[in-house]
């Protein structure tokens, strides 16, 4: 099936007389006929739902749908994108290990990786997104267990060369994790380019309507965890009655391990109602992505003609530094987000934002409504100047997220505000 069809039908096929739409299973727990029956499910938690700290029937439908859209074998939802990033690493790294990450990643992820991970005894080694394959390999140490990158960076809109990062990781026998939040599987499927694990903040385009924060981790099922570098996958898990993930759950050892260890212990799992809302967003994802791209391209082309910007950072534009990579990885568009560098620095950037009436100034992005933000004074406020420039942010940068309003109204709003600059 194609994307549009998967968005509507994957994950749930009602049986004779069953509700057409997957109902909300808003229940912490599930009743069984006997202790033996519960014991059986503890033996193999893929058989039934036990407790909403780690599985739920409504969320399960969403997980299956997202796994199918990404071309993976299984997925696990989390209560935020941050939690998806954290668990994607903790499932591979313990204290004393390290992982390599592109420095062009979301600001919240930079904090998590550079500061909080350090407290766990896990080192993040940052490399430039434009590093050569050799440079990435050079950064990988014997204790390095993963490579991480972001397909289309929030907010600087740099494009990750997924194949290059995958090749470097695979030469060192470690998996590549890709944060695919902005493109969504509608615009790019990183697994097809060699990524082993894909994560998302579902708070963005997947939910689409700014209703709820969430995340997801998708397992491609392709990485060989029996290569000798990952004993936690190949030796009995004492915390789970001796389960050997690569043997007992060979179809998706990564996601089953994440669920049985991390989700069991941390419990950062969405409720049934959250799964239900996320599913509504996913149903129109393919259609919406097409329209975001169409509107954003028109806005970007207009902005270039105004002469008020040092840079209109939108990789779908021919003059963009990442245009070639965008043509390869994002041939159907680069989402609704763009990074704008307003002439005159921070003062003019703030004036531009405050002069907008339709676009709202808020800490959100990739929404159905047009929104805008000044990253250096908000989402990326905690970063040092060096970290800011490493992830491609300057003081005059504005992140614009073009929504689904009529294009004439969006452009008129921008035109009006630009008059003040
Ligand atoms: C927003 C975002 C995150 C964090 O997601 P939350 O759902 O806000 O926790 C991670 N990665 C990217 C690319 C994002 O845009």
């Amino acid at each position: 099936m194609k994307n549009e069809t998967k968005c509507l039908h994957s994950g749930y096929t009602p049986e004779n007389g069953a509700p057409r739409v997957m109902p909300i299973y808003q229940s912490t727990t599930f009743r069984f006929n006997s202790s033996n029956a519960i014991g059986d499910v503890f033996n193999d938690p893929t058989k039934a739902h036990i407790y909403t700290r780690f599985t739920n029937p409504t969320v399960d439908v969403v997980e299956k749908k997202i796994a199918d859209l990404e071309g993976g074998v299984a997925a696990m939802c989390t209560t935020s994108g941050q939690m998806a990033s954290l668990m994607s690493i903790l499932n591979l790294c313990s204290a004393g290990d390290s992982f390599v990450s592109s420095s062009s990643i979301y600001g919240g992820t930079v904090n998590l990786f550079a500061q909080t991970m350090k407290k766990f005894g896990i080192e993040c080694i940052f490399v430039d997104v434009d590093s050569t394959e050799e440079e990435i390999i050079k950064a990988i140490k014997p204790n390095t267990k993963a490579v991480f990158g972001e397909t289309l960076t929030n907010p600087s809109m740099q494009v990750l060369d997924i194949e290059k990062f995958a090749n470097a990781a695979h030469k060192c026998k470690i998996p590549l994790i890709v944060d695919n939040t902005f493109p969504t599987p509608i615009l790019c499927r990183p697994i097809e380019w060699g990524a082993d694990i894909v994560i998302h903040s579902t708070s963005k385009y997947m939910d689409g309507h700014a209703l709820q924060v969430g995340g997801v981790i998708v397992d491609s099922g392709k990485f060989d965890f029996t290569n000798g570098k990952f004993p936690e996958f190949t030796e009995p898990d004492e915390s789970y009655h001796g389960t050997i993930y690569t043997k007992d759950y060979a179809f998706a050892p990564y996601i089953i391990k994440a669920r049985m260890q991390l989700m069991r212990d941390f419990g950062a799992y969405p409720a049934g109602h959250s799964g239900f809302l996320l599913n509504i967003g996913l149903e129109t994802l393919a259609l919406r992505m097409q329209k975001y791209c169409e509107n954003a391209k028109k806005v970007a082309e207009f902005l270039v003609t105004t002469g008020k910007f040092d840079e209109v950072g939108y990789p779908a534009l021919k003059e963009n530094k990442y245009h070639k990579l965008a043509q390869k990885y994002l041939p159907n568009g680069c989402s609704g987000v763009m990074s704008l560098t307003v002439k005159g620095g921070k003062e003019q950037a703030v004036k531009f934002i405050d002069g907008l009436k339709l676009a709202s100034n808020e800490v959100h992005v990739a929404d159905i409504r047009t929104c805008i933000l000044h990253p250096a004074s908000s989402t990326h406020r905690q970063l040092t100047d060096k970290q800011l420039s490493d992830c491609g942010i300057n003081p005059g940068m504005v992140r614009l997220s073009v929504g689904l309003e009529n294009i004439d109204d969006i452009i008129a709003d921008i035109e009006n505000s630009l008059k003040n600059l």
Side-chain angles (χ1 to χ4, degrees):
M1 290 192 294
K2 300 279 197 297
N3 281 337
E4 293 80 356
T5 319
K6 286 180 180 177
C7 282
L8 293 167
H9 294 281
S10 282
Y12 178 61
T13 311
E15 285 167 18
N16 188 39
R20 183 63 197 88
V21 175
M22 181 61 174
I24 304 170
Y25 281 80
Q26 191 68 25
S27 180
T28 57
T29 193
F30 305 86
R31 188 200 155 270
F32 291 86
N33 281 336
S34 68
S35 303
N36 260 351
I38 291 192
D40 282 350
V41 185
F42 268 93
N43 268 341
D44 182 358
T46 59
K47 276 194 178 142
H49 300 280
I50 316 174
Y51 192 56
T52 296
R53 196 195 317 125
F54 44 84
T55 63
N56 173 278
T58 313
V59 181
D60 182 56
V61 164
V62 174
E63 290 169 341
K64 291 197 164 91
K65 182 175 281 187
I66 295 174
D68 198 22
L69 280 165
E70 282 289 6
V73 291
M76 180 177 79
C77 283
T78 58
T79 45
S80 69
Q82 287 297 95
M83 189 45 87
S85 303
L86 172 66
M87 286 193 176
S88 75
I89 298 294
L90 287 188
N91 205 31
L92 299 167
C93 298
S94 305
D97 288 336
S98 67
F99 64 103
V100 164
S101 175
S102 156
S103 56
S104 292
I105 51 173
Y106 169 64
T109 319
V110 174
N111 278 333
L112 170 65
F113 285 0
Q115 310 298 335
T116 303
M117 287 293 195
K118 203 193 295 174
K119 295 182 199 162
F120 291 181
I122 298 170
E123 183 198 6
C124 178
I125 304 158
F126 287 104
V127 295
D128 193 280
V129 68
D130 299 324
S131 303
T132 63
E133 191 181 310
E134 291 68 35
E135 284 166 338
I136 302 165
I137 290 174
K138 235 173 126 185
I140 296 172
K141 301 194 290 193
N143 72 353
T144 300
K145 296 291 171 63
V147 175
F148 188 99
E150 196 169 303
T151 322
L152 197 49
T153 332
N154 174 6
S156 56
M157 300 302 278
Q158 290 158 294
V159 180
L160 182 78
D161 189 340
I162 303 171
E163 264 188 326
K164 180 177 73 185
F165 274 75
N167 286 340
H170 294 163
K171 280 182 185 162
C172 302
K173 295 182 162 186
I174 54 177
L176 173 67
I177 305 169
V178 171
D179 181 339
N180 196 36
T181 296
F182 276 5
T184 81
I186 305 304
L187 300 178
C188 177
R189 281 190 300 275
I191 292 171
E192 289 173 2
W193 298 104
D196 302 286
I197 316 295
V198 174
I199 66 157
H200 289 271
S201 162
T202 61
S203 327
K204 314 296 163 55
Y205 286 121
M206 283 192 171
D207 171 90
H209 299 73
L211 297 181
Q212 50 165 358
V213 171
V216 70
I217 307 176
V218 182
D219 183 354
S220 71
K222 287 183 178 161
F223 189 78
D224 178 15
F225 287 101
T226 66
N227 67 15
K229 281 195 87 99
F230 297 93
E232 273 203 48
F233 285 78
T234 53
E235 284 166 19
D237 176 1
E238 294 311 328
S239 82
Y240 219 100
H241 52 73
T243 294
I244 297 175
Y245 294 102
T246 48
K247 188 165 143 272
D248 300 332
Y249 302 99
F251 67 100
Y254 179 87
I255 218 75
I256 302 286
K257 178 175 170 291
R259 197 185 294 279
M260 283 155 85
Q261 292 179 342
L262 299 173
M263 202 53 95
R264 177 200 61 189
D265 293 355
F266 294 161
Y269 199 68
H273 189 242
S274 303
F276 180 82
L277 291 175
L278 178 52
N279 189 47
I280 298 177
L282 288 168
E283 288 182 330
T284 58
L285 183 65
L287 191 61
R288 285 187 290 111
M289 290 316 292
Q290 213 178 324
K291 188 69 182 172
Y292 291 122
C293 293
E294 196 184 302
N295 275 358
K297 181 107 187 290
K298 286 183 186 154
V299 168
E301 281 164 357
F302 163 75
L303 292 174
V304 170
T305 66
T306 64
K308 304 271 191 182
F309 299 91
D310 283 329
E311 209 205 333
V312 176
Y314 191 61
L317 296 178
K318 275 191 193 66
E319 61 271 26
N320 188 278
K321 184 182 169 194
Y322 293 94
H323 185 61
K324 255 190 104 164
L325 284 174
Q327 281 182 308
K328 176 174 173 180
Y329 294 109
L330 302 152
N332 296 319
C334 294
S335 85
V337 187
M338 60 193 74
S339 72
L340 311 173
T341 305
V342 183
K343 277 190 179 149
K346 180 175 172 178
E347 193 193 327
Q348 293 297 303
V350 168
K351 207 166 173 191
F352 169 56
I353 293 175
D354 293 349
L356 293 166
K357 292 200 168 69
L358 178 67
S360 57
N361 186 356
E362 63 193 29
V363 180
H364 193 43
V365 64
D367 184 24
I368 203 158
R369 289 153 288 251
T370 297
C371 52
I372 193 155
L373 187 75
H374 185 241
S377 58
S378 57
T379 48
H380 293 66
R381 198 183 182 93
Q382 281 91 19
L383 302 197
T384 63
D385 289 348
K386 165 87 169 58
Q387 284 176 319
L388 280 177
S389 77
D390 281 353
C391 53
I393 297 173
N394 63 61
M397 186 193 275
V398 165
R399 181 182 70 191
L400 174 66
S401 174
V402 177
L404 301 188
E405 298 92 346
N406 184 286
I407 185 67
D408 297 342
D409 294 332
I410 299 171
I411 290 183
D413 187 36
I414 293 172
E415 223 171 356
N416 193 43
S417 178
L418 286 177
K419 281 188 201 136
N420 306 325
L421 303 197

